[in-house]
Amino acid sequence: MRLVVDLNRCQGYAQCAFLAPDVFAMHGDEGLLYDPRAQEAQRARVLQAAAACPVQAILVDELDLAAGAAAGVAADA
């Protein structure tokens, strides 16, 4: 899963760090550190964090979501 955080938009509310601490961490008062290649096991928490971001600065790569869904369909067939 690939993540992109618009660090110009991020205001340091830290909702992401609270909801997905294995992926996001605050550095100082306003600096955000994150893993742009988060583990698939963290998907639910990352999606919660993206939805909770007050300024919608977190984007989850939709291509990865579509590829995962297609793989799931292929595995079921």
Side-chain angles (χ1 to χ4, degrees):
M1 167 177 37
R2 290 179 290 192
L3 304 175
V4 176
V5 177
D6 183 342
L7 296 175
N8 290 318
R9 184 179 283 191
C10 177
Q11 297 294 308
Y13 290 105
Q15 295 300 309
C16 57
F18 175 73
L19 291 167
D22 292 338
V23 178
F24 302 97
M26 294 304 296
H27 180 68
D29 290 335
E30 296 182 10
L32 177 69
L33 300 175
Y34 70 100
D35 181 0
R37 294 252 179 216
Q39 298 296 316
E40 189 63 30
Q42 296 295 324
R43 181 175 291 280
R45 289 181 178 221
V46 168
L47 292 176
Q48 274 187 307
C53 180
V55 295
Q56 300 300 296
I58 303 168
L59 301 173
V60 179
D61 190 340
E62 295 295 329
L63 294 175
D64 282 353
L65 289 174
V73 170
D76 290 339

